[in-house]
Amino acid sequence: MPSSPHKPGARVAVIGGGFAGVAAGRELLRRGHDVVIYEAADGPGGTWRANRFPGVEVDTPAVMYSYSFAPGNWTREFPGGAELRAYLEVVSRDEGLMPLFRFGHKVTRLVWDDAAAHWAVTVRDLATGTSRTERFTAVVSAVGLLNIPRHPDWPGREDYTGEMFHTAEWPEGIDLAGRRVAVVGTGSTSAQVVAELAGVAGHLTVFQRQPGWVDPKVGRTYTEVERARRRNPLRRRLIRWQLFLKQERRWLGGRIIRPGSGTDEQLVEACRRYLDEVFADHPELKAQLTPTSAYLGKRAVHSSTFYPALLRDDVTLVPRAVVGMYQKGLIDADGEEHVVDVVITATGFRAAEFLHGIEVIGRGGRVLAEKWGDDPMAFLGITVDEMPNFFMLYGPNTNWYAPVFGMEKQALFIGRTLDELRRRGARSVEVKPSYVAWLNRWLKRRLDSSSFAQTPNYFRSASGRVVTQWPDGASVYWLLTKLLWKRSARFES
C-alpha cells in the first residue's frame, strides 16, 4: 500500500527484533510510517538469537514458519536456530529494516500523554547503562511469548557448588564431555538438548515433573534438487497451502483441543503406537512416559531422537519433580539426592506474563499490569482498551500452529489502523471495550473446557485461565482481523 503524499506517517516504536518485530517493521515501513525498532540483542532474531543450546530447531515446517513475502531458501524441513537467525537477518536487510534497528537498547517504560497524544518511551542503552525518553505517536510490542526464562526457585540453591544455567542462557564454549549432567524438564527444549547431550555427558539425568505426548518428527535435510524445486513460487505455495489445510482440518471448530474428540483420540493413539514401538522391551519406562491428559494437555513434543536417548545406559529418567538442591546436586520429590556436576534447567518461559519487565501506563494513568492482574486479555491479542495507539503482535491468546502467519495478519491490522488514523487526521485510536469483553467471553467459553485447561502448563496464567492459546482455526482469526479492524476501533480527533 503506497504512503500518503499529503499526510506524514505516524512515528512508531516497535519493541523487539524477532519474527514479530520484523513483520511489524516491514508492514509499517511500506505504508510510509516512521519506524524505530528497539532490540536488546546485537542483531535481529529474537528467541532464535537468544536460544543457542545444542540441537535448537523449530518444530513447525520451514515452509510455514516463514513470511509469505520471503519464503527463504531452507536447507532443512525444520531449520536450526542458526539458519533461522540468518533468515531474519537477510529479510531485515532485503526489506530495508536494518537502518531502523537500535540494537543493544531495551524499552523499560511506556507512558501515554493524554494532552500531547503520544507515548513517552523510556529506553535503556545496555552498553552504557544510561536511559533516555523518546516520544512516539504509537507503540507496537513485538516481544513474543518465549523471551523471559522461568528460573526455578528451589530451596538450597545457594548451597550447590556445581554449575547451573537455563537453556536460554547457554554459556559460550561450555564443555560437558564426561560430566554428570542433569536436565530438568521434558518439554520440547529438553527433548532437543537431551538428544544432543546423550553420549557426550558422562551421565545424563533427566527429571520429569509430568509426561507429555511425543510424536515422531520426520524432518530431513533437502537435496539441492529439492531446494531448487521449492524455489518455484507455484510449487512452494502449493506445499504451504497443503500444510495449512491439513492443520486447519484439525483446528477448525476447536476439534484438536476437545478432550476425547476424534482428532484428539487419533493423535493420542498415534503417540501410544510410538511409545509401544520404542519401549516394547522397557514397560516400566513406557509407563513413566505415558501421559493421562489429552493430546494438548501440555505442548506436544515432536522428536524422533528424544525417546531413543532415554534408552541409553548413560541416561537416567527420574519421573519426579525437583524440589530442592544441596551441595552436590538435586533433591527430587521422593527426597532422593542426585549428585550432578551441571544442572541445566529446561523449565520454559514466563509465557503467560505478557510485557513482563515493561511498565505500561495508559490513558488517565491506568497501569496495564494492574488492569490485567493475573489475566492478560486483548482484542485479538492486538489492542487493549484504555491504551490508545498501543498494539501487540503475538499478544494474549494468539498462539497456534502457524505463528508467523498470525504475526503477518496482526501487522496488517496495525498498519490499516494507523493508516486510518492518518487519513482522518485523528489524535488517537483505541479499541472499544465492548469488543474486548465480547471476544474474551467467547475465548473463555471455548478454552475453559479445552485440553489446554487440563494440566499445569505455560498456557495458563496464575489464576488458571488459558491466556496464550487460540481455540480455533487460523482462518477464523484471519477473518476476524480482516472484518473487525475498523469497526472495533474508536478514533479521537
Side-chain angles (χ1 to χ4, degrees):
M1 181 175 181
S3 60
S4 169
H6 305 297
K7 297 179 180 178
R11 186 165 194 250
V12 186
V14 175
I15 309 172
F19 267 93
V22 170
R26 185 253 184 188
E27 184 65 34
L28 296 175
L29 179 64
R30 65 188 286 269
R31 290 172 178 271
H33 297 287
D34 179 12
V35 182
V36 176
I37 307 174
Y38 292 109
E39 169 54 53
D42 59 358
T47 191
W48 300 109
R49 198 167 199 88
N51 286 275
R52 295 172 181 251
F53 58 84
V56 58
E57 67 178 27
V58 70
D59 283 338
T60 302
V63 71
M64 286 175 62
Y65 201 82
S66 52
Y67 301 115
S68 60
F69 57 85
N73 185 22
W74 303 105
T75 63
R76 296 165 55 192
E77 184 177 1
F78 300 101
E83 189 167 1
L84 290 161
R85 286 195 302 274
Y87 170 76
L88 285 172
E89 290 169 358
V90 169
V91 172
S92 296
R93 286 196 300 270
D94 290 350
E95 297 295 329
L97 300 182
M98 292 302 278
L100 311 183
F101 276 100
R102 302 294 181 269
F103 296 121
H105 286 75
K106 180 178 177 60
V107 173
T108 58
R109 194 167 191 254
L110 309 172
V111 181
W112 174 254
D113 187 321
D114 285 319
H118 65 225
W119 284 97
V121 178
T122 302
V123 186
R124 185 167 73 247
D125 184 328
L126 299 181
T128 65
T130 59
S131 295
R132 67 179 185 278
T133 298
E134 299 191 26
R135 286 160 178 76
F136 293 88
T137 310
V139 173
V140 177
S141 168
V143 296
L145 283 177
L146 308 179
N147 63 316
I148 306 294
R150 182 177 295 281
H151 294 285
D153 185 21
W154 294 315
R157 168 69 183 92
E158 64 281 359
D159 298 326
Y160 179 58
T161 57
E163 294 182 74
M164 179 175 173
F165 54 87
H166 192 279
T167 53
E169 299 161 340
W170 199 273
E172 187 74 28
I174 188 168
D175 185 6
L176 299 176
R179 304 176 74 182
R180 294 168 296 186
V181 179
V183 176
V184 182
T186 51
S188 296
T189 295
S190 172
Q192 294 173 353
V193 170
V194 167
E196 289 291 318
L197 295 188
V200 174
H203 193 89
L204 191 61
T205 305
V206 183
F207 290 84
Q208 172 188 267
R209 182 180 60 174
Q210 61 177 0
W213 293 111
V214 177
D215 44 29
K217 184 177 182 180
V218 195
R220 60 194 180 81
T221 300
Y222 295 132
T223 66
E224 286 302 320
V225 172
E226 287 174 316
R227 293 178 72 186
R229 286 175 180 169
R230 286 167 179 267
R231 286 194 287 271
N232 179 290
L234 290 177
R235 183 183 292 272
R236 186 176 61 239
R237 290 192 188 102
L238 178 61
I239 295 171
R240 183 177 170 98
W241 278 109
Q242 285 174 335
L243 288 170
F244 267 109
L245 290 173
K246 179 181 178 181
Q247 291 288 6
E248 277 294 279
R249 283 196 294 270
R250 293 175 172 177
W251 281 89
L252 203 58
R255 295 183 183 93
I256 195 172
I257 65 169
R258 290 202 301 269
S261 70
T263 301
D264 174 68
E265 289 182 346
Q266 288 171 11
L267 291 166
V268 167
E269 182 56 30
C271 292
R272 287 189 185 278
R273 288 196 300 270
Y274 184 47
L275 276 164
D276 291 341
E277 174 189 328
V278 178
F279 299 106
D281 299 326
H282 301 270
E284 182 179 353
L285 199 53
K286 174 186 167 183
Q288 292 170 346
L289 291 162
T290 302
T292 57
S293 66
Y295 179 71
L296 289 178
K298 61 182 290 189
R299 180 182 175 184
V301 173
H302 309 293
S303 174
S304 296
T305 53
F306 176 54
Y307 278 173
L310 297 179
L311 290 173
R312 294 177 58 96
D313 292 338
D314 54 3
V315 177
T316 300
L317 176 70
V318 178
R320 298 179 293 278
V322 173
V323 297
M325 303 187 77
Y326 73 114
Q327 185 179 10
K328 295 183 179 180
L330 298 170
I331 306 170
D332 70 29
D334 282 354
E336 184 178 346
E337 296 179 347
H338 302 265
V339 178
V340 291
D341 304 315
V342 182
V343 175
I344 302 171
T345 56
T347 45
F349 297 83
R350 300 167 73 162
E353 300 176 36
F354 291 87
L355 294 166
H356 179 81
I358 304 175
E359 184 181 24
V360 183
I361 303 174
R363 178 165 49 81
R366 189 72 157 117
V367 179
L368 182 56
E370 295 176 359
K371 177 181 177 68
W372 275 348
D374 288 334
D375 292 322
M377 60 180 64
F379 181 64
L380 296 171
I382 304 172
T383 59
V384 183
D385 56 299
E386 299 185 289
M387 303 290 147
N389 296 9
F390 177 76
F391 306 93
M392 292 175 287
L393 281 82
Y394 216 12
N397 294 113
T398 60
N399 190 34
W400 68 80
Y401 71 85
V404 179
F405 172 85
M407 292 170 195
E408 285 195 60
K409 302 313 171 190
Q410 292 152 16
L412 186 61
F413 181 107
I414 296 166
R416 286 169 170 164
T417 303
L418 289 179
D419 282 358
E420 184 67 12
L421 185 78
R422 172 172 55 191
R423 188 189 70 80
R424 294 181 181 219
R427 301 171 74 250
S428 65
V429 59
E430 184 180 332
V431 66
K432 297 172 184 174
S434 59
Y435 278 77
V436 181
W438 160 74
L439 183 72
N440 283 281
R441 283 195 301 269
W442 176 76
L443 286 170
K444 190 174 189 306
R445 284 197 304 270
R446 299 292 298 277
L447 292 168
D448 281 356
S449 59
S450 71
S451 305
F452 301 137
Q454 281 195 334
T455 63
N457 51 49
Y458 76 75
F459 310 144
R460 302 167 70 182
S461 68
S463 73
R465 179 173 170 266
V466 178
V467 297
T468 64
Q469 305 304 105
W470 178 253
D472 214 306
S475 58
V476 174
Y477 183 85
W478 168 69
L479 283 171
L480 289 173
T481 60
K482 184 177 179 65
L483 297 175
L484 300 181
W485 72 270
K486 186 184 288 189
R487 67 181 63 183
S488 64
R490 182 175 62 207
F491 293 88
E492 180 181 320
S493 300

